[in-house]
Amino acid sequence: MNRFISIIICYFIAICPVFPQILKGKITNQSGEPVPSATVYIRELKQGTTSNITGDYEIRLPGGKYTIICQSLGYEQVSVSLTITDETVIRNISLSLQYYQIPEVRISATGEDPAYGIMRKAIGMAPYYLNNISHYKANVYLKGNLQIDKIPRLIKRSIEKQARKEKKSGGSGETVKEGEVYLMESYNEIEFTAPEKYVQKVLSYNSTFPEEGNEISPMQYISASFYQPVIADLAISPLSPNAFSHYNFKYLGASPQGNFSINKIAVIPKRKSQQLFEGTIYIIDELWCLQSVDLTIDNLAGKIRIEQLCIPVQDDIWMPVSDKFDVKISILGFKADAGYAVSVKYDEVIPNTALKKPAGITFRRNNIANAASDTVQNKKRKQIDRILSKEELSNRDMMRLSKLMKQESENSMPDSVRKNLEIIDNTTHVIEKDAGRKDSAYWAAIRPIPLSELEMKRMHVTDSIRRISEPIQSKSDTLKTEGKNQKDGGNSFAKEIKNVSFGNTWGKKDGLRFRFSGLFDPELLSFNTVDGFVYGLDFRLSKTWKDKKSLGIYPDVRWAFSRQQLMWRLNANYRFGGAKQKEVFIRSGMSSRDIGTGGGIDPLLNTVTSLFFKLNYPKFYNSDFIRLGYRSEITNGLTLELNGLMEYRYVLANTTGFSIINASREYTPNIPVNRYLASGADPLNAMRDQNHAALSAKVTYIPFQKYRMDGGSKIPAGSDWPSFSLSWEHGINDFNESGFSVTHYDMIRAEIFRKKDLGAFSEFRWRIRAGGFTDNRKLTFYDFFHFNQQPLPVLLKDYEDVFMNPFCYSLSTPESFFEVHLNYATPYLLLKMLPGLSNTLMRENLRMSLLGSRYRPTYTEIGYSLSEIFLFIEAGVYAGFDGTRYRNIGIKFILKLN
């Protein structure tokens, strides 16, 4: 559970050095009530701490004179000067409420709320503040707590069952329980080097969670920032370039803080949504960066409140010095309160000098005519300064400023980073020896956020349990272990029966693996009108060597009960080549095969429609084949594939009319519905027995393809460019019929594909295909172009490029063709604007598909759908047109089980 809760943390950077002198006290408001999570910051040491839930703070310092800055959201900052000697110093601090006034100059002549003018500059400057740090060193102290109020009975039973299993296996058997309070804390050193290199050293961790609970790591969130468009895949930031599409803003006034003026702005989502924040952000005037945030969001986990406070750690560099996360968890009957607190110190902060601070900001701060360090400004910087010099920015100015700052940030990176296509995991995670075995004296000396009485009591109880439960090996223990092993003989037999029945994977450390799907795998049983019921088994045997060479052999056998036929297939491949992957493969078999090669109806769906509605969609022929192939990456992003195929095809007919219900309906013959096979069509296109041979080549090119390296093997990771492919196939058919000679054909097909992330959970995907034959006069239906057609109202896979309404095989053609698929997905478009739907994680999708071929009008299909319904369901409606004439309409439910 603590791992699940950690998903809501944005990022953590904290430290607290160990010194003998102590400064402590209590922070209260003017009414004497404690102020939890208030920040106490030592300006000279760039070190901070946070008060606990009772307002108490404590920090260890070397002797000397210091300026103590204390502040909390909603309160005025208090600055105190004091001297630390060799004695404990107690200093209680009272905070006054902070009042924000709306100056007259903030009243806009256009009537627009002045918050929008402030937000435009803050949004435009977000890319700068996201990239203005080149290097820093810090320590991270994270303290989290969880109080469980309710566990659903079903989940409780599952937890208890798992605990009993762990206890039998020698584990502690500890589980989370209702009414208990759990605590974890960790102390880390973190070093960051731009753009994405992190080194994390876990110095110590302490936890009362079962099984230590030390799995929470800040590294997956430390790079997250409110300056990013989307924060940790959680929600859309108020500083996102398209924030005005999702938020309203209201100016709540300004308040002086030292040499700065802090603008308080209300963040109001335009609709209730699990992907939008609500609350308040504080922006520093003239710098246009964040001073603090106080935002909440309601999502599937519950209500999350994030409080973050920034302080100028160096010059005008404002960085977080404290974070607080409160979570009201309420999901599937599970209820709990969770919280996290972070305390901050930066040892070293180095700005990104390659990214120049806009002169417009420097002018205002220093009141000088020209503050740019370089004598000659480039064109982009002049445009940035020109925009920032305006008193009021338009939305167009804001977008232009954001784009320019993003470009400047990218250009500030060294060429070795910008031009390198390899994606390197730059996070180094090191756990110090005995990090989990520090005693209470150690934690008392370094813990920057004092524990409350309840937390301290819980820690003492856990420490006592751990000391008692230290393993002591004795003779009786040995006897018990031997007895247990004797009992395990029966359990082992039962386990093997389960593995054989439902499948399992057996593996060795030398890379040898064997996979058996099991006797009762539902995918092994199907029904169609040609084979009848089909049942089989499949296996997978693979071997991987240390140099990443691998061999895979995948046989499967099936028995067609109705036509009394054994069907089998054997796939084998050998991969080698390291960074430039190469593969040799062989495919062989004797089985029924779907005539269409564009997609095909899912066998499970066809089994259901056949047995219960007497609707059998796919049409089959028998294929005895062997295919040899070779695939190689010529250079990064350029791949060549060669294939050779020998196949004997013969026509199959229905062998059964069995169904469970609706027996009065007749199955359609095993002949596709297509105008080239209709009565009166050219008989040369008809299906008949034949020997078939083919040679094919396919070239795929992905410009500037990014990739990762895994032990010497390259793993493609996409590109910002479209992918291109060109394929050619030469086919030979021998019909062994009088009057028919051997025929040849050549087929050429080209394709372009692109999938682009538009940010804020939106994406645009498109694909264009075109192809044709050099001679199609004697082409049989087997070798037509077949397209992915899915006419069933329910689908079990998420097909990217598909025609939803036309009947199977009806679009297949021997003519030249072009095919276009467009898909736009976004969280907010039409229905998601409605109150009942806006607070869901659903996305809206617009789809359009076109197919044009010789001798027939262009078929156009337009669709609208809602996806991510209950996370894995999509529902939509699709209308088809022949040219401008309406053809059909269909409703689809897609269960994304793949």
Side-chain angles (χ1 to χ4, degrees), residues 883-897:
T884 58
R885 183 172 60 87
Y886 167 78
R887 175 175 176 177
N888 49 39
I889 192 168
I891 297 176
K892 298 289 177 180
F893 294 92
I894 303 173
L895 309 180
K896 300 182 180 181
L897 303 180

Side-chain angles (χ1 to χ4, degrees), residues 7-40:
I7 296 177
I8 62 165
I9 305 174
C10 293
Y11 58 99
F12 313 109
I13 23 185
I15 188 167
C16 184
V18 181
F19 297 114
Q21 291 81 21
I22 298 176
L23 168 67
K24 66 178 183 179
K26 181 181 284 289
I27 301 173
T28 60
N29 59 23
Q30 289 178 311
S31 300
E33 299 170 338
V35 179
S37 302
T39 297
V40 179

Side-chain angles (χ1 to χ4, degrees), residues 649 676-677 681-693 731-746 773-785 813-815:
R649 304 164 168 171
Y676 289 93
L677 300 179
D682 189 341
L684 292 176
N685 297 137
M687 297 179 297
R688 53 189 180 277
D689 298 350
Q690 60 186 258
N691 289 311
H692 174 72
I732 306 172
N733 291 320
D734 181 4
F735 300 102
N736 294 322
E737 300 177 21
S738 60
F740 285 93
S741 60
V742 175
T743 63
H744 296 253
Y745 69 85
D746 288 280
F773 295 89
T774 57
D775 186 354
N776 64 354
R777 289 175 296 176
K778 297 180 180 180
L779 204 66
T780 58
F781 192 78
Y782 299 119
D783 300 311
F784 279 26
F785 281 117
T813 180
E815 308 294 342

Side-chain angles (χ1 to χ4, degrees), residues 12 36-38 50 53 293 295 305-309 322-326 339-342:
F12 313 109
S37 302
T50 304
I53 57 176
V293 300
L295 298 171
R305 182 179 181 183
I306 302 173
E307 297 177 67
Q308 183 184 94
L309 184 64
S322 68
D323 293 89
K324 181 184 177 185
F325 306 86
D326 290 317
Y340 292 90
V342 179

Side-chain angles (χ1 to χ4, degrees), residues 599-601 787-791 802-804 806-812:
I601 301 298
F787 307 97
N788 193 354
Q789 299 167 232
Q790 300 292 333
V802 60
F803 296 97
M804 293 291 192
F807 203 75
C808 296
Y809 314 103
S810 62
L811 298 178
S812 300

Side-chain angles (χ1 to χ4, degrees), residues 573-624:
N573 60 59
Y574 176 62
R575 293 189 177 95
F576 60 99
K580 292 185 177 180
Q581 276 288 303
K582 297 175 177 60
E583 179 182 4
V584 177
F585 57 87
I586 180 172
R587 313 279 188 262
S588 184
M590 299 175 61
S591 67
S592 59
R593 183 179 180 184
D594 191 339
I595 294 172
T597 55
I601 301 298
D602 184 85
L604 176 59
L605 282 178
N606 189 67
T607 299
V608 173
T609 59
S610 297
L611 294 178
F612 291 93
F613 305 100
K614 218 165 187 180
L615 295 171
N616 185 84
Y617 289 90
K619 307 302 178 184
F620 300 92
Y621 72 96
N622 196 85
S623 172
D624 300 346

Side-chain angles (χ1 to χ4, degrees), residues 354-546:
L355 178 60
K356 302 298 181 182
K357 181 183 292 186
I361 290 180
T362 313
F363 291 162
R364 296 170 184 247
R365 293 300 310 149
N366 299 324
N367 293 318
I368 57 177
N370 189 357
S373 59
D374 51 338
T375 57
V376 181
Q377 290 181 300
N378 64 30
K379 185 177 178 181
K380 287 189 178 68
R381 291 179 196 161
K382 290 180 179 179
Q383 294 179 40
I384 291 170
D385 295 337
R386 190 160 48 245
I387 294 173
L388 282 173
S389 65
K390 296 181 180 181
E391 283 297 325
E392 295 290 338
L393 303 188
S394 65
N395 287 346
R396 184 177 180 181
D397 290 332
M398 176 192 72
M399 297 301 292
R400 181 63 177 161
L401 176 60
S402 177
K403 183 178 180 180
L404 290 169
M405 289 306 314
K406 184 176 180 181
Q407 293 174 352
E408 283 288 275
S409 299
E410 292 173 350
N411 292 335
S412 70
M413 299 179 187
D415 290 344
S416 58
V417 174
R418 288 190 295 117
K419 297 180 179 181
N420 188 13
L421 297 175
E422 181 180 358
I423 300 174
I424 302 174
D425 184 5
N426 285 323
T427 300
T428 302
H429 181 79
V430 179
I431 301 178
E432 289 278 281
K433 184 180 179 181
D434 297 330
R437 295 182 176 274
K438 306 297 184 181
D439 58 20
S440 56
Y442 167 87
W443 283 103
I446 72 156
R447 183 183 289 123
I449 304 177
L451 298 182
S452 66
E453 277 189 38
L454 181 61
E455 292 169 338
M456 188 66 73
K457 180 180 179 181
R458 179 61 181 167
M459 279 294 185
H460 285 324
V461 170
T462 303
D463 289 342
S464 300
I465 293 174
R466 286 175 182 164
R467 285 193 295 270
I468 294 172
S469 59
E470 286 291 327
I472 302 175
Q473 187 71 22
S474 65
K475 183 176 181 180
S476 61
D477 291 333
T478 305
L479 294 175
K480 288 179 182 179
T481 302
E482 292 175 354
K484 180 179 182 298
N485 290 337
Q486 292 176 2
K487 292 181 181 180
D488 282 347
N491 294 335
S492 178
F493 177 76
K495 183 178 180 180
E496 292 305 319
I497 293 296
K498 180 181 178 182
N499 292 339
V500 172
S501 300
F502 301 103
N504 191 42
T505 299
W506 292 265
K508 293 185 177 181
K509 293 181 179 180
D510 62 359
L512 184 65
R513 295 173 65 85
F514 176 73
R515 167 69 182 173
F516 175 54
S517 61
L519 298 175
F520 301 109
D521 185 349
E523 293 186 0
L524 300 176
L525 180 64
S526 63
F527 176 86
N528 63 73
T529 57
V530 170
D531 299 316
F533 283 99
V534 178
Y535 174 76
L537 302 173
D538 63 33
F539 313 87
R540 294 192 175 189
L541 180 65
S542 63
K543 168 70 175 179
T544 302
W545 287 270
K546 291 182 179 180

